[in-house]
Amino acid sequence: MKTELCSFCLKSGILCQKCSSKVKAGEISDLDLKITRLLLNLEEKYPSLQNVCFYKAVDVEKTLAILVGHGDVPKLLGYGGKIVKTLSDETGKNIRVLEYGVDDRKFLEDLFVPFSILTINTIWLPDGTTETRVILRRKRGQQLPMDLKALKEIANKTRKMSLRVEIAD
């Protein structure tokens, strides 16, 4: 697995000077360390994780967002969802796997899976800020499997994006 930390530090549990300075500077959080170590432990059982590029983990209430490199989302969702299930069991949270460095539409599609997005609009507010309005389509009788408040906060923490979410039938 590729991360900001060197693999020796992750495997040994003792951080070198370069890696510890990244932690002290706030570039890497304790949560990032924990998730990276969990993924590293799963690497032996699931070899596809060796090529995954891990960027960041964001924790909001009962939801944990894991940001990975371009094209790495299917690698984490593979194996019948066993990797995500293991991460969920270890952390006690719902897991969202998001792609790092993509455009806003792709980010929002990944964030709101399994719902499809009808439209995305930008709303300019009188105070000069903007808000992104997302209208989701749900099938008849389909319930929200996620906490919208937590997903809005994940979007805010990862992309500085203020969301207004509406659901259309």
Side-chain angles (χ1 to χ4, degrees):
M1 185 174 58
K2 300 168 192 132
T3 65
E4 294 284 320
L5 299 170
C6 51
S7 60
F8 179 77
C9 291
L10 289 173
K11 290 177 182 173
S12 68
I14 300 168
L15 299 179
C16 67
Q17 189 175 2
K18 183 180 172 186
C19 292
S20 65
S21 68
K22 288 181 182 180
V23 171
K24 287 177 185 169
E27 293 174 36
I28 297 167
S29 67
D30 291 335
L31 178 66
D32 294 338
L33 284 170
K34 179 182 174 186
I35 299 302
T36 307
R37 286 186 180 133
L38 280 172
L39 289 171
L40 197 65
N41 291 338
L42 291 173
E43 205 173 82
E44 292 173 20
K45 195 172 183 182
Y46 307 106
S48 69
L49 287 177
Q50 292 174 353
N51 298 324
V52 169
C53 196
F54 173 82
Y55 285 97
K56 190 159 189 59
V58 179
D59 184 17
V60 178
E61 295 176 21
K62 297 177 187 170
T63 306
L64 177 70
I66 298 174
L67 283 93
V68 294
H70 184 70
D72 290 339
V73 173
K75 294 174 188 171
L76 258 84
L77 298 177
Y79 296 101
K82 290 180 183 174
I83 297 171
V84 173
K85 174 84 171 102
T86 305
L87 288 172
S88 180
D89 292 344
E90 290 286 328
T91 59
K93 299 189 179 282
N94 298 324
I95 305 293
R96 283 271 171 223
V97 182
L98 306 171
E99 209 167 305
Y100 182 81
V102 293
D103 65 338
D104 289 346
R105 180 163 192 95
K106 174 74 172 122
F107 171 77
L108 292 170
E109 285 172 352
D110 288 348
L111 188 66
F112 291 112
V113 164
F115 289 91
S116 59
I117 295 177
L118 279 176
T119 187
I120 300 171
N121 304 56
T122 302
I123 301 169
W124 284 269
L125 300 173
D127 63 354
T129 61
T130 60
E131 205 171 72
T132 304
R133 179 176 163 228
V134 180
I135 300 177
L136 303 173
R137 176 187 295 158
R138 78 166 154 195
K139 296 177 180 92
R140 299 245 180 250
Q142 190 179 24
Q143 295 297 317
L144 281 173
M146 64 267 211
D147 180 12
L148 281 180
K149 183 180 172 202
L151 295 183
K152 286 179 186 179
E153 197 166 327
I154 288 170
N156 193 7
K157 283 185 175 182
T158 57
R159 303 285 287 248
K160 305 284 187 254
M161 185 185 290
S162 177
L163 292 181
R164 182 182 296 185
V165 180
E166 298 173 18
I167 299 168
D169 289 322

